[in-house]
Amino acid sequence: MPEPAVPPPVPPTPSVPLAALLTREDLALRQIAGPTGPGTVLHGAHTSEMADPYPYLLGGELLLTAGVHIPEAAGSGTYFDDYVSRIVAAGGAALGFGVAPVHDTVPRALVAACEAYALPLLEVPPQTTFSAVARAVWQLLERARTAELRRVTEAQQSLAAAASRPDPVPSVLRQLAQRVGGRAVLYGPEGTEIAGAGRTSADAPLAGLARLLLTRASVTAGDTAPDGTHLAAYALGAGRAFALGVAAPRRDPGDHTIASVAAVLLSLLTGEHQSGSGAARSSALVRLLLGAAPAEVAPLLGGERWRVVHARPDTQAPDPVAASALGAGLGSPLVDLAHDVVRVLVPADGDPPQPQPGWTLGVSADAAPADWPAADAQAARALARARATRATLVRHGSGAGLRDLVPDDEARAHARALLAPIRASGASAALLETLRTWLSLHGSWDRTAVALSVHRNTVRQRIARCAALLGTDLDDPDVRMELWFSLKHQ
């Protein structure tokens, strides 16, 4: 019998076995011709009385007809052969023939044609409407879609959990191989296998597909091995030095989504190895842990001078995803999430940090690595001021001023002498920080309380304590100026 040159496509959605429809006792359907194996699946149902339904089929349908289109002399010619062959050419999955009111029985010639073209033929009894059959098909399809969505969701969760394990790459590959029931392989440059999980008899074709993908501009590629195994390859990341290969005995609609999630995770996991900056950051961390000075490792991180940014979200507490997104917005991967504050180390040779939607920022002055702790304190104070004044971003002042007219050693000596009474008290750190913040906010009790996250009465008590220890009037502008000068040089 003639076969279509190219099998027609079917919708990329979950299908249901024809056998599941035949088990519905309320429909009383009976298969009277065609193959009866589990390989016949349905993607939908369609009713048509056209003599040539080909233009109206997408592929995978159960076509329902009452035979209105059949001419009286159809049995003596090629009408039924032509009719069935066109259904097969269009990708129809099965034919349902309604008995009554037009035909009392299914025409014998139609049964013979369905047998010849291997098209399953169902007899639809008079009490069963085509609407009931179509509704049953759609109900089965909806259940299949729900089950497939659940399978994909569970696979995504398991892949994400695997990526967080100590051996993330092998864990992701093992989980992917298990989910698709086949084999998953990570290929490096020139298609060399780096890691793999699962089993397949198509290792060579899969490796060849991965090598082909790495030499082309495509991000995905697919093929079928001689034994029928379905093959797919995914390029990982912008560097295109790695590829993910997947071999599976079948190709379910959700498998591509699951493999794509795994490809994204593997792109992130292998990204540091592809990136020179990522390798440099790793090297810098190792050197710091082994005792190198910050000034020695700063060039590996991306610059000689830096800014420290402290940030707090305007709504809920920050999480790792939000912190990473903030770092990306500021142009730096050097991010630290500590409690309710995110700290970002930004190279000073780039654009100055700009306000980020949903965040309140405090930015330090430019600092060399040796001054990073001081810059960290500057950023913290700038953030406190930003929160108190409800500004989106506050930068620590770094320009020259009157204080630069006094030599640093003399200024520090004066600051030590002036602030000595406070330093000698039992709560010097809290008192000095409160005094500094209060002065920076022009003596506002409420703003200082907000900046320090304490009650305004606590601020009043601490400022009164400072005034008592210093034996001075803090309402005097000259006193405030001298204290501010000393706090800047302590």
Side-chain angles (χ1 to χ4, degrees):
M1 292 296 172
E3 296 290 340
V6 178
V10 295
T13 57
S15 59
V16 296
L18 176 61
L21 185 66
L22 292 172
T23 59
R24 289 281 299 262
E25 296 182 359
D26 58 318
L27 299 177
L29 302 177
R30 185 169 66 94
Q31 183 170 348
I32 58 176
T36 58
T40 302
V41 296
L42 305 177
H43 289 269
H46 177 66
T47 300
S48 175
E49 296 299 340
M50 302 294 294
D52 182 8
Y54 183 98
Y56 308 97
L57 298 178
L58 296 175
E61 298 96 342
L62 167 64
L63 178 63
L64 299 169
T65 179
V68 176
H69 56 87
I70 300 175
E72 293 184 2
S76 59
T78 63
Y79 180 85
F80 287 112
D81 278 358
D82 295 340
Y83 177 69
V84 173
S85 68
R86 293 290 283 170
I87 296 174
V88 173
L95 176 64
F97 193 90
V99 176
V102 180
H103 298 271
D104 295 332
T105 60
V106 180
R108 292 181 177 273
L110 178 59
V111 176
C114 287
E115 283 286 356
Y117 284 90
L119 179 68
L121 175 62
L122 310 184
E123 181 185 75
V124 183
Q127 71 272 18
T128 301
T129 64
F130 286 175
S131 296
V133 176
R135 183 169 59 247
V137 171
W138 294 120
Q139 287 173 345
L140 291 171
L141 288 172
E142 183 59 30
R143 292 175 191 170
R145 290 190 187 99
T146 302
E148 187 70 359
L149 178 60
R150 185 181 299 111
R151 184 177 77 92
V152 171
T153 302
E154 291 174 352
Q156 290 174 333
Q157 294 172 344
S158 64
L159 287 169
S164 65
R165 292 172 185 161
D167 55 341
V169 171
S171 296
V172 169
L173 293 174
R174 285 195 298 269
Q175 193 60 231
L176 176 58
Q178 178 183 340
R179 293 290 173 173
V180 301
R183 180 164 172 79
V185 182
L186 175 64
Y187 294 99
E190 301 180 358
T192 56
E193 181 175 332
I194 297 177
R199 296 181 179 180
T200 183
S201 58
D203 279 328
L206 183 60
L209 182 65
R211 284 193 293 269
L212 180 65
L213 178 67
L214 291 173
T215 61
R216 297 189 174 184
S218 303
V219 295
T220 62
D223 199 0
T224 302
D227 64 354
T229 300
H230 296 285
L231 309 176
Y234 303 81
L236 304 182
R240 302 186 57 79
F242 297 85
L244 168 65
V246 181
R250 62 185 184 280
R251 185 173 292 164
D252 292 332
D255 287 347
H256 175 70
T257 302
I258 295 171
S260 297
V261 171
V264 171
L265 292 172
L266 291 171
S267 293
L268 296 174
L269 294 171
T270 59
E272 291 294 306
H273 299 286
Q274 301 180 50
S275 167
S277 61
R281 288 195 298 273
S282 297
S283 177
L285 176 59
V286 171
R287 294 187 189 185
L288 281 173
L289 293 174
L290 295 179
E296 296 179 17
V297 303
L300 294 174
L301 295 175
E304 298 290 343
R305 297 187 66 80
W306 299 78
R307 300 183 184 100
V308 179
V309 178
H310 279 217
R312 287 187 65 170
D314 297 338
T315 53
Q316 59 189 14
D319 55 42
V321 175
S324 297
L326 173 66
L330 295 173
S332 174
L334 303 174
V335 179
D336 173 44
L337 173 58
H339 303 294
D340 57 349
V341 174
V342 178
R343 301 188 297 176
V344 186
L345 196 58
V346 181
D349 56 1
D351 295 331
Q354 299 299 317
Q356 300 295 312
W359 293 87
T360 300
L361 306 182
V363 183
S364 75
D366 295 358
D371 299 323
W372 281 349
D376 186 47
Q378 292 174 0
R381 290 195 293 268
L383 175 61
R385 183 174 179 81
R387 294 184 65 233
T389 58
R390 297 182 180 180
T392 57
L393 185 149
V394 169
R395 305 179 193 276
H396 180 83
S398 58
L402 292 176
R403 63 185 181 136
D404 297 305
L405 299 177
V406 180
D408 285 342
D409 54 349
E410 295 182 15
R412 283 193 294 270
H414 177 75
R416 284 195 299 270
L418 182 63
L419 299 174
I422 296 179
R423 291 189 177 281
S425 67
S428 62
L431 292 177
L432 289 173
E433 184 62 21
T434 302
L435 180 60
R436 178 188 292 107
T437 305
W438 182 73
L439 290 172
S440 73
L441 296 172
H442 311 291
S444 171
W445 308 108
D446 292 331
R447 289 183 176 181
T448 303
V450 171
L452 298 177
S453 299
V454 298
H455 195 276
R456 66 194 305 270
N457 289 342
T458 302
V459 177
R460 287 183 176 274
Q461 294 169 3
R462 291 178 180 176
I463 295 301
R465 176 67 173 158
C466 289
L469 290 171
L470 294 173
T472 189
D473 180 10
L474 295 184
D475 290 332
D476 187 331
D478 290 334
V479 172
R480 290 192 183 190
M481 180 183 68
E482 188 173 6
L483 284 172
W484 183 250
F485 177 89
S486 298
L487 287 168
K488 286 285 188 179
H489 284 87
Q490 64 170 331

